Amino acid sequence: MSVGLVLEGGAMRGLYTAGVLDVFMDHGIRVDGIVGTSAGVLFGVNYPSGQRGRALRYNLKYAPTGSYMGIRSLLCTGNIINKQFAYYKLPSELDVFDEEAYERSGVDFYATVTNVETGEAEYIKIDDCYAQMEAMRATSAMPFVSRMVEYEGKQYLDGGVADSIPVDKCVALGYDKIIVVLTRPLDYRKKKSDERLAKLVYKKYPKLVARINHRYAEYNACVEKVIAMEQRGEIFVIRPSRLVKVKHIERDTAKLQAIYDLGAEDCARQMADLKRYLNG
């Protein structure tokens, strides 16, 4: 039996996912493949590498500093997440990512990205996180506050624009069982935003503009699909049991700890049901 895992993004809400995955490690839950988006990728890679607590640790330590993310980085580099610090210095020097353990895990890990020319989602298999760091950046390059990221000759932005919850991709990969980790409560739905900003900023990319401006409807439809699949027993879903307000760029370590703790608590409470689903 093969098991697939879907990880929604959500910037610093991704620490909810980190809490869930740390509990997975505590209980020996293993998967064969992962399809993630944005923060789901950045924090999710610590699961195959077996680095329990790493995502929480470095975010609590560095999120409050200006070196990691914020307006200063946006004004100086064009990216609200500092490229050199967050994607290169941090994982290679300050809190080292275990690439060897990641590769030994044998987990197929796909990062969802949005092609700015086509407006479509693409899924990049991450075999070597260090060598493919620009793909990792691409999946998390939030529109309006990030520069487009070039990877293998194409320009990309955050995968959440085109596929926030890549459950269809996971189904297409053929896994027998699928676990979905969301970062929004059951009753959350996106609202339509002002369409003028995307048309102004990305006027050279009409298909991207259309995708951004219809994202709310696509996201909401996907949420309804996930709920229906869950009710039919086709997938197992872990989602926040209550709302914890966390900004995309959150510096308050108490809030970061709270959203992580909620992920760990929700997962622990559902662990018996998850094991029954996997063994059923």
Side-chain angles (χ1 to χ4, degrees), residues 103-116:
E103 293 178 11
R104 286 198 306 271
S105 74
V107 174
D108 293 331
F109 201 124
Y110 295 86
T112 308
V113 295
T114 299
N115 184 312
V116 302

Side-chain angles (χ1 to χ4, degrees), residues 5-7 9 33-45 87 102 107-115 120-129 132-141 151 156-160 162-164 166 169 173:
L5 175 62
V6 176
L7 302 178
I34 301 172
V35 188
T37 296
S38 194
V41 174
L42 299 185
F43 300 160
V45 292
Y87 295 93
Y102 175 87
V107 174
D108 293 331
F109 201 124
Y110 295 86
T112 308
V113 295
T114 299
N115 184 312
E120 297 297 323
E122 295 181 13
Y123 307 90
I124 301 172
K125 190 168 181 289
I126 306 296
D127 296 310
D128 185 324
C129 293
Q132 296 177 276
M133 193 59 74
E134 290 302 286
M136 305 277 282
R137 281 212 314 125
T139 189
S140 56
Y151 182 75
Y156 296 107
L157 280 174
D158 194 311
D163 196 356
S164 295
K169 175 63 177 179
L173 289 169

Side-chain angles (χ1 to χ4, degrees), residues 8-17 183-184 244 246-248 259:
E8 183 181 10
M12 299 306 278
R13 289 197 320 276
L15 283 176
Y16 178 87
T17 300
T183 58
R184 297 283 198 182
V244 176
V246 176
K247 299 175 184 176
H248 278 72
I259 192 70

Side-chain angles (χ1 to χ4, degrees), residues 67-68 73 77 79 81-93 134 137:
S67 302
Y68 185 11
S73 176
T77 71
N79 295 302
I81 306 295
N82 188 283
K83 171 184 173 179
Q84 290 303 323
F85 183 90
Y87 295 93
Y88 290 94
K89 185 174 183 178
L90 197 160
S92 62
E93 299 177 25
E134 290 302 286
R137 281 212 314 125

Side-chain angles (χ1 to χ4, degrees), residues 165 167 180 182 185-189 220-235 237 239:
I165 309 170
V167 66
V180 178
L182 304 180
L186 179 62
D187 61 354
Y188 175 81
R189 300 294 184 276
N220 294 343
C222 187
V223 168
E224 297 297 340
K225 181 174 185 176
V226 165
I227 291 172
M229 293 175 71
E230 179 184 19
Q231 291 174 342
R232 294 193 298 266
E234 297 170 2
I235 60 176
V237 182
R239 59 170 66 82

Side-chain angles (χ1 to χ4, degrees), residues 1-5 30-34 175-179 278:
M1 180 190 71
S2 61
V3 180
L5 175 62
R30 297 183 60 83
V31 302
D32 300 283
I34 301 172
Y175 297 108
D176 301 306
K177 301 281 186 174
I178 295 176
I179 307 166
L278 295 176

